[in-house]
């Protein structure tokens, strides 16, 4: 299966990258190159839409971890969207579920990125 990738700069320093197809040892370099291109263009916060990715092998996971670490060093990060249940199971097994921030939709991820951060705020009902 081929991999197709699209990119959209949405906010200053924030880019959405969408992937469709399987990410494996053959196609992972395409994903790595697309993410690197976004970073090289000034993106510090990447939202990666994986809604069209039914499968990702360890090479693909390595690409995600590498870009996440790279972005963390400049105060940014990589957030994942629409991760399928099989891929989420791999994230849990490998411990990567605690590394990445996951969202159901791109809009949800972008809202989280643009929401003001309240230091010391506690979510939930008072009681």
């Amino acid at each position: 299966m081929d991999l197709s990738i699209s990119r959209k700069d949405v906010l200053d320093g924030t880019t959405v990258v969408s992937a469709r197809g399987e990410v494996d040892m053959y196609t992972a370099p395409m994903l790595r190159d697309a993410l690197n291109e976004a970073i090289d263009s000034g993106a510090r916060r990447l939202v990666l839409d994986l809604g069209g990715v039914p499968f990702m092998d360890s090479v693909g996971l390595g690409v995600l971890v590498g870009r996440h670490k790279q972005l963390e060093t400049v105060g940014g990060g990589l957030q994942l969207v629409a991760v399928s249940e099989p891929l989420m199971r791999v994230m849990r097994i490998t411990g990567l579920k605690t590394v990445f921030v996951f969202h159901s939709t791109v809009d949800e991820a972008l809202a989280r990125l643009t929401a003001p951060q309240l230091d010391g705020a506690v979510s939930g009902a008072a009681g």
Side-chain angles (χ1 to χ4, degrees), residues 32-75:
R32 181 193 64 230
D33 291 348
L35 297 175
N36 283 344
E37 183 179 303
I39 293 167
D40 292 345
S41 296
R44 295 298 170 252
R45 294 173 305 276
L46 290 179
V47 175
L48 179 57
D49 182 355
L50 296 172
V53 176
F55 172 81
M56 183 179 294
D57 71 6
S58 61
V59 178
L61 294 174
V63 167
L64 300 185
V65 171
R67 300 308 72 87
H68 178 70
K69 287 182 178 181
Q70 181 179 0
L71 288 165
E72 276 191 328
T73 64
V74 295

Side-chain angles (χ1 to χ4, degrees), residues 38-123:
I39 293 167
D40 292 345
S41 296
R44 295 298 170 252
R45 294 173 305 276
L46 290 179
V47 175
L48 179 57
D49 182 355
L50 296 172
V53 176
F55 172 81
M56 183 179 294
D57 71 6
S58 61
V59 178
L61 294 174
V63 167
L64 300 185
V65 171
R67 300 308 72 87
H68 178 70
K69 287 182 178 181
Q70 181 179 0
L71 288 165
E72 276 191 328
T73 64
V74 295
L78 173 64
Q79 300 197 23
L80 305 181
V81 174
V83 177
S84 67
E85 183 50 41
L87 186 50
M88 187 58 80
R89 187 173 33 242
V90 171
M91 295 287 183
R92 282 192 295 270
I93 291 168
T94 59
L96 293 177
K97 188 171 186 296
T98 62
V99 172
F100 295 106
V101 176
F102 298 88
H103 300 281
S104 298
T105 66
V106 169
D107 287 341
E108 179 184 298
L110 293 174
R112 167 97 183 252
L113 288 172
T114 59
Q117 301 297 316
L118 303 175
D119 292 332
V122 177
S123 62

